[in-house]
Amino acid sequence: MNTKAYTPIMLDSVGPRRSAAVEILAVAGLLALSTLVRIPLPFSPVPVTMQTFAVLVAAFAVRRTSAAAGIGLYVALGMVGAPFFATVTGATVGYLAAFLLTPFLVARIERPAVAIAAAMTLIYAMGAGWLMLWGGLNPAQAIMVGVAPFVIGDAMKAAAAYGVARWLRK
């Protein structure tokens, strides 16, 4: 793994740099919007959302600290009752924790495709790990309800995020 850090190319790189507060609020808002697409699955406590796309785009679009702070703000607001979370059962805690770490992982990997693959691996591992603890599932069960149903959709979201990442790096 190449550990060369990079500075993301900002959308407004030809103009004044955005403030961290604007980046943080934008990331939190993007995540909140990403849960508006919420498809419950009868065989899984985890619904389909656009959150992985939002997290991946945020990791490439703004500074890693702003991305993590925006994700943290989203999580904090959800914890105090804002209707942001995809589910209120607690099933998604592992995914949310992985979202917080994703910007730091992505920033350490130079190639966007590799960064996205590593981020998705982290998100799946932490999500399934939490499902094992929270739901008392064995590893195979956690993968069947918390990873397998999402692979195809997440591959499409990852491809779209890759396109955005490449565009941002031009």
Side-chain angles (χ1 to χ4, degrees):
M1 174 187 330
N2 185 343
T3 59
K4 178 183 171 191
Y6 76 93
T7 303
I9 303 299
M10 309 310 281
L11 289 174
D12 59 354
S13 60
V14 294
R17 189 171 175 111
R18 292 182 297 250
S19 73
V22 169
E23 291 180 350
I24 292 166
L25 291 173
V27 169
L30 179 63
L31 266 168
L33 289 173
S34 73
T35 62
L36 294 177
V37 174
R38 187 179 312 167
I39 304 168
L41 301 176
F43 49 84
S44 175
V46 180
V48 173
T49 70
M50 291 298 292
Q51 288 176 300
T52 50
F53 174 76
V55 167
L56 292 171
V57 167
F60 286 101
V62 301
R63 293 167 281 204
R64 66 180 171 223
T65 53
S66 294
I71 295 165
L73 176 60
Y74 164 82
V75 170
L77 290 172
M79 289 176 63
V80 297
F84 292 161
F85 291 161
T87 178
V88 294
T89 65
T92 61
V93 169
Y95 302 97
L96 294 170
F99 292 168
L100 287 165
L101 298 175
T102 295
F104 297 103
L105 175 62
V106 166
R108 295 186 52 85
I109 302 171
E110 189 173 339
R111 295 178 52 210
V114 175
I116 288 170
M120 290 308 303
T121 301
L122 172 70
I123 292 166
Y124 285 149
M126 290 182 69
W130 174 255
L131 287 172
M132 288 170 30
L133 294 172
W134 173 82
L137 305 177
N138 66 43
Q141 291 170 322
I143 290 168
M144 289 306 296
V145 300
V147 175
F150 305 96
V151 171
I152 293 171
D154 282 342
M156 291 187 286
K157 291 181 263 183
Y162 175 75
V164 171
R166 287 185 44 92
W167 178 73
L168 289 172
R169 287 193 170 187
K170 285 184 180 182

